[in-house]
Amino acid sequence: MNRKKWAIATLAMLACLAMPCYPQQTAQQQDDEEEVAPSKPRPAPKDAGFGAPEVVAPTPNSHQQQGTDFKVPETVSPDELPAKKGASETSSSGTNPLMGAARARLIQVRNATDIRVKGAQPFRMHAIFSGMSDSELASGGTYTELWLSSTRWRREAVVGQVHVVESRDGDKLYRQIVGREYAPRMLDDLLDALYLTYPPLGVSSFNESDWQQGTMLYAGASALRMSTGFSATGPSTDARAYWLNTDGLPIAAYRFGTTVEYADYDAWNGKQVARHLNVKEGGVKLAGIWIDQLDSAPAETGTQFALGGVTPIPLNDEGYSGPYFVAPHPVHQVSPKDPPAGAGSISIKVSLDQHGHVRSAKVQKGINDALDDAAEKAAMQWEFSPALIKGRPSPSEATVEFTF
């Protein structure tokens, strides 16, 4: 029987007024970098040209081998979602005398791997996206980035007919999507994966007691796991986890339900850069990233960082006169496919990331288990415009309602 289905969405502001998670640096992050500037001298800049190489899918290599002097604890966990690991791994809360303070550890990792810190050498990067599980993006794509400083950069991703451009020009951030009204969630996950993000590391903003550390196995290798925001009921909206190898380099990082794995480290400009990344969700690989070119760039170029015709995203409150909060609204709606029998309405609470992608869904009011499950799966495929707080994209929540 053909039943007419319709859906509406009502919107609710997330309690946490989070800053957007686009690749950018807050004033506090820049202060952290100045506080812990790397002491290693950088090699002389290379004046290498940059040209797009042939787009050929590289052969994936295995994870970097781990050292043999690392003591594996008796209690270890398999490579599962972070929310499932905490009960069985050896861990401690807050400052761990064995592992060291969480903040200090994260600063060490950032100093060792982040090529985009304040004062870093300008560079050009080219990467290949492949092995994508989304049928619309199965052909793969490419990524290019020109980074001159923490306040002047531009990056572009092209997959199929979708072209995403993000750039920063001083205190203005730009984002442009061509070919669709919204960027596919997987494409934004790939863009986010290329920037290993950290929580605010300022002394006043970082709470050691929120973090747990423990030794465990990840993909069969010894690892130190650092995590926050996980409980018996599952991860919070801003839960994070990092797995480090015995050299203190990231093996994997978790945020917004997505895990990014890092391998094939290569020394560049005094940093260690992972050339091969895998993006996973629920233990299933969604796509791979291969950084096949990374060269120094001249400090000045003719590249335009301000995108014409695009309203910039303000990075601070200075001069902002718009509305304090702009609610997200649906830009792509999906109805349950071949829903089982039932009549009435189903209300589902969805959590959105800073791009407007649905990251989790939970039935608040249902009809029956089968129909509720079908509606929940449909809600996970909705897309929204991002919520704006003082003009800046922010995580938020919405309520999706299906009536049968």
Side-chain angles (χ1 to χ4, degrees):
M1 179 174 63
N2 182 20
R3 297 188 303 278
K4 180 68 176 177
K5 302 180 290 291
W6 57 276
I8 61 173
T10 58
L11 309 167
M13 175 179 169
L14 189 65
C16 174
L17 303 184
M19 287 290 290
C21 297
Y22 294 113
Q24 58 181 295
Q25 292 171 306
T26 64
Q28 181 62 60
Q29 286 175 314
Q30 291 178 359
D31 290 343
D32 287 335
E33 287 154 9
E34 292 170 352
E35 174 188 351
V36 289
S39 57
K40 290 184 179 180
R42 294 192 177 97
K46 295 181 294 181
D47 188 18
F50 179 78
E54 294 184 26
V55 180
V56 212
T59 303
N61 294 318
S62 59
H63 285 276
Q64 180 174 335
Q65 294 296 316
Q66 309 302 313
T68 57
D69 58 347
F70 189 79
K71 301 296 184 182
V72 183
E74 294 182 4
T75 305
V76 294
S77 302
D79 178 17
E80 296 290 342
L81 284 176
K84 298 178 181 177
K85 290 179 178 173
S88 58
E89 66 180 282
T90 303
S91 63
S92 65
S93 298
T95 304
N96 186 321
L98 179 64
M99 304 299 175
R103 176 179 178 272
R105 176 76 67 175
L106 289 171
I107 289 175
Q108 284 180 338
V109 175
R110 189 180 65 185
N111 284 345
T113 61
D114 193 351
I115 61 175
R116 301 176 181 88
V117 294
K118 185 177 180 181
Q121 174 68 32
F123 67 83
R124 296 180 188 268
M125 177 186 291
H126 184 277
I128 297 170
F129 300 148
S130 66
M132 305 176 79
S133 61
D134 187 327
S135 58
E136 295 184 25
L137 309 176
S139 60
T142 58
Y143 171 89
T144 56
E145 177 179 358
L146 171 63
W147 192 94
L148 299 187
S149 72
S150 58
T151 59
R152 296 187 70 216
W153 50 261
R154 177 185 175 113
R155 64 181 193 158
E156 304 182 38
V158 180
V159 178
Q161 301 300 313
V162 186
H163 185 188
V164 176
V165 183
E166 293 180 347
S167 67
R168 180 168 174 177
D169 187 24
D171 61 354
K172 294 182 175 62
L173 185 69
Y174 296 85
R175 177 173 162 91
Q176 183 179 45
I177 304 169
V178 179
R180 269 197 194 180
E181 188 175 358
Y182 61 92
R185 173 179 161 178
M186 182 182 292
L187 183 52
D188 274 331
D189 284 345
L190 291 170
L191 288 171
D192 291 344
L194 284 158
Y195 281 70
L196 178 57
T197 59
Y198 300 94
L201 296 175
V203 176
S204 60
S205 58
F206 190 92
N207 190 348
E208 287 282 350
S209 63
D210 290 340
W211 287 81
Q212 293 77 46
Q213 300 185 61
T215 50
M216 58 172 296
L217 291 180
Y218 189 98
S222 303
L224 166 66
R225 177 177 181 259
M226 309 173 63
S227 63
T228 184
F230 295 94
S231 66
T233 59
S236 65
T237 304
D238 199 31
R240 299 170 187 254
Y242 304 91
W243 293 263
L244 309 180
N245 67 17
T246 55
D247 294 324
L249 299 177
I251 299 174
Y254 169 94
R255 194 176 186 202
F256 289 134
T258 300
T259 300
V260 182
E261 296 180 338
Y262 305 91
D264 299 332
Y265 277 94
D266 187 23
W268 186 82
N269 194 34
K271 306 285 186 177
Q272 290 293 323
V273 179
R275 295 294 190 125
H276 179 200
L277 296 79
N278 282 327
V279 179
K280 292 185 174 182
E281 188 173 274
V284 177
K285 180 181 174 180
L286 301 181
I289 304 173
W290 284 267
I291 298 175
D292 58 353
Q293 190 165 352
L294 179 60
D295 297 314
S296 296
E300 294 296 331
T301 71
T303 301
Q304 183 69 32
F305 295 96
L307 301 182
V310 178
T311 302
I313 300 168
L315 295 178
N316 54 56
D317 297 342
E318 186 178 351
Y320 179 74
S321 59
Y324 177 81
F325 177 67
V326 176
H329 66 270
V331 295
H332 177 66
Q333 303 178 39
V334 176
S335 296
K337 183 178 180 181
D338 299 325
S345 62
I346 297 175
S347 178
I348 299 176
K349 181 180 178 181
V350 294
S351 294
L352 312 176
D353 65 16
Q354 78 279 3
H355 302 298
H357 303 307
V358 177
R359 291 297 177 174
S360 67
K362 185 176 181 180
V363 175
Q364 302 292 298
K365 184 186 75 171
I367 298 174
N368 59 57
D369 289 345
L371 193 52
D372 293 351
D373 183 61
E376 189 173 86
K377 289 178 179 177
M380 285 294 298
Q381 300 176 61
W382 282 43
E383 294 283 352
F384 292 77
S385 65
L388 301 178
I389 298 177
K390 295 185 179 180
R392 298 189 284 272
S394 173
S396 61
E397 294 179 344
T399 300
V400 175
E401 294 186 353
F402 294 96
T403 299
F404 299 90

